Amino acid sequence: SDRPHLQKDLDSKIFRSYYYLKEELAAFCRAEGLPVSGGKKELTETIAELFRWQERLLRINQLPGKKCGVGFITDDT
């Protein structure tokens, strides 16, 4: 099968162009700490939104002088 494995670094457009079973979507959501409630449509939307946010963060991090990430919390922050 040419279908890509459902993994965290998958492109949102590629993800949307393939068919995944509800069980696969639910397992991915569990592994990533995402909500597992709802039907296949809701799970697909949740995962697609995760991929879109990851793509946005990647684009922001590629801008000169811009970094968007989670760091350590200190007394000063």
Side-chain angles (χ1 to χ4, degrees):
S1 168
D2 292 335
R3 184 183 74 157
H5 180 69
L6 188 52
Q7 56 192 23
K8 195 172 183 176
D9 62 349
L10 193 60
D11 180 89
S12 63
K13 291 177 185 172
I14 293 173
F15 167 69
R16 287 240 184 228
S17 66
Y18 289 93
Y19 179 88
Y20 292 92
L21 299 174
K22 181 181 177 187
E23 293 78 20
E24 293 174 290
L25 300 172
F28 179 81
C29 286
R30 269 189 217 93
E32 296 301 321
L34 299 170
V36 185
S37 61
K40 185 173 187 250
K41 183 177 179 180
E42 289 82 13
L43 294 173
T44 299
E45 288 301 319
T46 297
I47 295 169
E49 187 63 23
L50 170 70
F51 292 152
R52 283 191 297 270
W53 273 106
Q54 288 178 162
E55 292 161 8
R56 289 178 192 133
L57 289 175
L58 182 61
R59 284 193 304 271
I60 289 170
N61 282 331
Q62 290 174 346
L63 295 173
K66 301 286 183 187
K67 293 294 175 199
C68 181
V70 177
F72 291 102
I73 297 175
T74 66
D75 292 334
D76 297 328
T77 59

